[in-house]
Amino acid sequence: MKRVVVGLSGGVDSSVTAYLCKEQGYEVIGLFMKNWHDDSVTISDECPWLEDSNDAMLVAEKLGIPFQTVDLSKQYKERIVDYMFAEYEKGRTPNPDVLCNREIKFDVFMDIATSLGADYVATGHYCRKDRVEKDGKTIYRLLAGKDQNKDQSYFLCQVSQQQLEKTLFPVGELQKSEVRQIAKEQDLITADKKDSQGLCFIGKVKLPDFLQQKLQPKKGQVIEIDSSHEVFSNISEAETNSELITQLKRDSKKLNLKPEFGKVLGSHDGAHFFTKGQRKGLAIGGTKKPLFVIDTDVENNILYTGQGKNHPGLHKKGLWVDNSEVHWIRPDLSLSEGETMDVKARIRYRQPLEKAKLYQMANELYVIFEKEQTAISEGQFVAWYNEDELIGSGVIA
């Protein structure tokens, strides 16, 4: 009998995952990951992980499977939290959920599962996998979940072939409503529990509150730049291949904004608390259209803003990824220098897939979308797909 370790988070998806694995004839062990208990960064008066671990334990009891808690808070702090603070201080916008999967669930957690003699780990992610044979080798494919509204493949955009081989996604074939139905039928305590919206496995924490406890506030200027400023003027399309690289750079270039381009509207408490495209939290009124952050200059502590969601400072067609940050889930499909590939891509979770083209250059990979994208943010992940298969990803530079 094959052994499966399920990461029981205290939510409905992982509870049903454990049930389905048991139904499929596996020997199942439930593990709860305790990822955070640092009181120096108080998160809220509630203690969500206690409630969650208790629910996870009750589910394991109900299913008659062994259960234990593992404390991964040290690794979580080093690999996720410290990294996040460092990235925000640099003015980048990291994605903690993608990191948590890469660094914790599919790395540290997988090692623990292996030490418990597991043949597989199973997670409650809404995605699927299958396998194909190619040149005598087995290749695993990461596919979008059947529930289009809940597809979580994006969060797994950094997993490897070795990790996919060892992972099961039992709820990936189901709709969320079916998962809740199964939990009800099996009388699991998590059947009606709301999905957690906080940071990956820290629970109910809201990101700005979390950041404010570690990053020092410092006053700076909020500057508005008018949409008609020449810094936003479009330059014509490339005509020849020698111009291609110039065009790629142009499409994905970060705007070089300067204070003298605009007017001071007010002040803020720290540019590193804001991200591109953000509207809430500026606390400045009196403009015709709502104000959006179009860029942050963390070095000089300046927030650049523009009016309305169609402001040209919010939109561009392209981005680039340094070669060291490019990750192919399908290494057999990776591009050599000078090669291109038509794909569909997204730059954030739940964004509909958009047509794009990859251009592999000597030191970087360009992703150029057919349509302009809103608020492309450095530090976030871009993921590219072939139909419903996620084949690669990278950190936006």
Side-chain angles (χ1 to χ4, degrees):
M1 189 190 268
K2 298 261 188 192
R3 179 175 290 176
V4 175
V5 170
V6 176
L8 280 179
S9 66
V12 67
D13 300 327
S14 62
S15 306
V16 170
T17 294
Y19 165 74
L20 292 171
C21 286
K22 203 179 165 203
E23 283 299 287
Q24 287 158 14
Y26 292 106
E27 178 200 343
V28 181
I29 297 172
L31 273 195
F32 177 82
M33 290 180 259
K34 180 178 171 186
N35 283 344
W36 191 256
H37 53 79
D38 174 0
D39 293 335
S40 74
V41 180
T42 50
I43 282 163
S44 64
D45 300 336
E46 306 154 62
C47 192
W49 72 263
L50 263 179
E51 182 194 322
D52 289 341
S53 89
N54 203 31
D55 288 347
M57 185 175 71
L58 291 169
V59 165
E61 215 168 88
K62 182 90 185 163
L63 296 175
I65 60 172
F67 173 79
Q68 65 187 69
T69 298
V70 287
D71 189 342
L72 303 183
S73 48
K74 182 174 173 286
Q75 293 96 321
Y76 193 87
K77 182 181 181 308
E78 284 166 8
R79 295 196 191 191
I80 311 293
V81 178
D82 291 350
Y83 174 82
M84 276 175 59
F85 286 133
E87 285 286 279
Y88 270 98
E89 273 185 313
K90 288 180 203 151
R92 286 166 44 121
T93 311
N95 186 309
D97 294 286
V98 172
L99 287 169
C100 184
N101 285 315
R102 183 182 78 190
E103 301 288 333
I104 304 292
K105 291 182 202 168
F106 287 83
D107 190 43
V108 180
F109 184 75
M110 203 165 249
D111 290 346
I112 292 170
T114 307
S115 72
L116 291 171
D119 298 286
Y120 299 103
V121 301
T123 77
H125 286 103
Y126 284 83
C127 50
R128 297 167 297 143
K129 81 164 189 186
D130 70 6
R131 48 199 279 183
V132 290
E133 298 296 323
K134 186 172 170 182
D135 304 328
K137 272 166 116 174
T138 302
I139 290 171
Y140 295 91
R141 304 195 312 150
L142 176 66
L143 307 170
K146 277 279 169 67
D147 187 333
Q148 297 272 300
N149 198 34
K150 287 295 292 181
D151 168 37
Q152 290 172 315
S153 56
Y154 175 79
F155 289 141
L156 302 185
C157 67
Q158 290 273 299
V159 299
S160 67
Q161 282 291 309
Q162 292 79 351
Q163 291 167 332
L164 265 184
E165 181 186 351
K166 292 260 183 220
T167 309
L168 306 174
F169 304 113
V171 301
E173 300 288 343
L174 303 171
Q175 301 292 316
K176 180 79 184 197
S177 53
E178 295 176 291
V179 170
R180 289 214 181 270
Q181 189 54 39
I182 291 170
K184 277 200 182 85
E185 285 163 8
Q186 297 310 312
D187 197 21
L188 301 178
I189 190 166
T190 52
D192 294 314
K193 189 172 175 179
K194 273 170 67 176
D195 292 343
S196 81
Q197 294 300 324
L199 280 189
C200 167
F201 274 108
I202 299 186
K204 299 183 175 68
V205 52
K206 288 204 170 59
L207 197 56
D209 308 345
F210 190 63
L211 290 172
Q212 251 149 351
Q213 291 168 330
K214 279 280 192 213
L215 302 180
Q216 294 308 309
K218 51 182 177 194
K219 282 266 183 256
Q221 291 180 328
V222 176
I223 291 175
E224 184 200 340
I225 302 183
D226 194 273
S227 58
S228 59
H229 194 283
E230 64 190 28
V231 71
F232 304 122
S233 63
N234 269 339
I235 309 165
S236 60
E237 298 288 310
E239 311 235 324
T240 65
N241 200 38
S242 63
E243 289 177 15
L244 175 65
I245 188 77
T246 319
Q247 182 67 38
L248 293 174
K249 285 188 166 158
R250 206 178 283 152
D251 282 342
S252 52
K253 195 174 107 183
K254 184 175 162 72
L255 289 166
N256 186 17
L257 301 179
K258 294 176 177 162
E260 56 267 30
F261 292 175
K263 58 179 185 198
V264 177
L265 286 188
S267 64
H268 60 79
D269 286 329
H272 46 267
F273 293 130
F274 291 84
T275 59
K276 207 178 287 184
Q278 186 170 330
R279 196 181 128 188
K280 294 195 171 100
L282 282 165
I284 292 172
T287 53
K288 262 191 188 159
K289 295 177 185 165
L291 272 187
F292 288 85
V293 175
I294 56 175
D295 208 357
T296 60
D297 175 351
V298 173
E299 237 168 88
N300 299 304
N301 199 28
I302 296 170
L303 275 189
Y304 291 104
T305 62
Q307 287 190 41
K309 61 175 188 290
N310 296 323
H311 190 286
L314 282 173
H315 304 279
K316 60 179 183 180
K317 280 179 94 165
L319 59 94
W320 60 278
V321 178
D322 189 87
N323 277 353
S324 64
E325 302 268 28
V326 173
H327 171 74
W328 289 90
I329 294 179
R330 290 283 304 271
D332 58 305
L333 298 179
S334 66
L335 299 176
S336 303
E337 189 182 336
E339 290 186 329
T340 64
M341 183 190 283
D342 288 316
V343 294
K344 288 193 168 169
R346 58 168 55 108
I347 53 171
R348 54 181 69 90
Y349 175 51
R350 297 192 82 153
Q351 177 197 14
L353 286 172
E354 305 260 1
K355 282 185 181 169
K357 191 166 194 164
L358 307 181
Y359 295 84
Q360 181 62 63
M361 297 298 166
N363 304 309
E364 65 276 301
L365 174 81
Y366 286 92
V367 183
I368 308 294
F369 288 88
E370 207 172 79
K371 297 182 186 144
E372 288 197 325
Q373 300 296 305
T374 306
I376 294 176
S377 303
E378 295 99 69
Q380 287 278 11
F381 289 88
V382 55
W384 50 89
Y385 292 70
N386 181 359
E387 300 301 332
D388 64 349
E389 180 189 2
L390 202 172
I391 54 178
S393 67
V395 180
I396 299 171

